[in-house]
Amino acid sequence: MRIVYMGTPDFAVQPLKALYEAGHEILLVVSQPDKPVGRHAELKPTPVKEAALALGLPVMQPLKATNEEFLTELERLAPDVIVVAAYGKILRKRLLDIPKYGCVNIHGSLLPRWRGAAPIQWAVIEGDEKAGLTTMLMGEGLDTGDMLLKEEVVLSADETGGSLFDRLSELGGPLIVRTLEGIEKGTITPVPQDDSLSTYAPMLTKEMGELSFDKTAAEIERLIRGLTPWPGTYTYLKGKLFKIHKAEVSSFVPVGDPGTFCVDEGCLYVKCGDETALKLLEVQIEGKKRMPASDFLKGSAKLLEE
C-alpha cells in the first residue's frame, strides 16, 4: 500500500520499520517539530524522524496538522492509507478524508478502555490484569473510531509504565502489518466501540507524582510503578525532596498516622491509609543518587530521627 506515516516518540518507531520491511511504499513520514533539549537547548529530532531518515524516507514536521501547505502535500500524494502512532496532535476531518482506506491508528490500550493520552501508564496505575494494542479507524472523536484488530498482553506483578511501553511498542509493528493486509483484502470487519465501557487516560504530569499516603499501600505501589520512569513519584522527608523509585506492599504496618516513616530490622517503611504500609526498596534523597533503601539508611538514619 501507499502509506503516509505519522508518529513521534519511541513507541512509533517499530511500526514504521515493520511497514518498511513489509514492502509498503512509504510516501512520507510526518513527525512533530524538533525540540530544544539540554543545557545548550540544541534541537533534537524525534525518534520517528531519526528512524525515517535512517531508512531514507522523506520527512515533514508541520507545526500544526492543519497547516495548508502540509494538507495540500498530503492531497497531492493521495495515499491509500495514513497510519498514525502516537503522533501527538488531533487530526481534523480534511486530513482524515484524504486516504482511500482512511486513517488507521495504533492505540496503546484494549479499547474502549483507556482512551486518551496515557493509556499504557493508566493500565498499570489502575491495576488492570490485561493491556494491549488496538488498531482503529480514526474519526473526529478522541479514540472513538471503529476497532480493527487487537493484541493482548498480561501484566506482570512488577510491571511498570516503562516496561509495558516497551512490550507494546514491539507488538505494534506486526499488528499494523496484519491490519493493513486485512484492510486491503477486505477480511477485517470494523467493530464499533461500546461507549458505555470507555474510560479516559489523561496526560501524565509531574504533579501526579507527589504521593498522598492517605491512599492504600496497594494504590500507591501501583502509582509508583505506573509513573516509572516518568514522571516518577516523590514525597518530602524533613523538608527534602524524597523520590520513591520502588516499593512493595508490606505485611508489617508501623504505628502512626499515614505518612509516618519507620525503620524496623534494617528496613524502611511508610504508613499508608486504611492501616496498610509500604516497604521502600529503592529511594533517592535530594542531592543524592538513586540507591537501595538499605544503603540510604546506612547514611541517613539520623535524618529519620530528627
Side-chain angles (χ1 to χ4, degrees), residues 89-109:
K89 298 284 186 181
I90 293 177
L91 307 183
R92 303 300 181 187
K93 187 176 188 302
R94 179 177 168 187
L95 188 153
L96 296 173
D97 288 344
I98 290 173
K100 174 182 176 181
Y101 293 107
C103 294
V104 177
N105 183 38
I106 308 168
H107 185 73
S109 81

Side-chain angles (χ1 to χ4, degrees), residues 206-211 231-236 241-244:
K206 290 184 178 180
E207 290 74 21
M208 282 180 59
E210 183 167 6
L211 296 175
T233 53
Y234 64 93
T235 186
Y236 292 91
L241 183 68
F242 189 60
K243 296 180 180 180
I244 300 177

